Amino acid sequence: METPPWRDRLRAEDELLEQLETQAEAARRRRAAALKDGAEELGSVYALAKLLGLSWTAVANAIKKYTTE
């Protein structure tokens, strides 16, 4: 079996990277929505961050960046 030309391989890999980025963006938005729900349930971003072992600024920034349009 012959290896496809480099241009075809490059194009295929670029398409795959684009698909992966789209999926990662969707996952970041779903994660942020879950973080927001968790903060509401626990009463604060700080309480959620403490429970998860994350910094409260990281949690707050994720919620802010990915749950607002």
Side-chain angles (χ1 to χ4, degrees):
M1 182 177 231
E2 194 173 311
T3 303
W6 69 267
R7 285 184 176 92
D8 293 342
R9 295 190 330 253
L10 181 62
R11 187 176 308 112
E13 295 305 325
D14 284 344
E15 288 173 8
L16 178 58
L17 286 171
E18 186 175 325
Q19 291 171 8
L20 290 171
E21 183 55 40
T22 300
Q23 290 177 7
E25 179 69 17
R28 285 188 287 268
R29 291 189 183 282
R30 290 190 305 269
R31 180 179 183 270
L35 288 170
K36 185 176 181 179
D37 292 345
E40 289 172 0
E41 181 180 307
L42 295 174
S44 71
V45 170
Y46 178 79
L48 175 63
K50 186 175 179 182
L51 179 72
L52 296 175
L54 300 171
S55 74
W56 72 269
T57 54
V59 173
N61 287 341
I63 292 170
K64 181 179 179 182
K65 183 173 183 179
Y66 294 107
T67 61
T68 56
E69 295 301 315

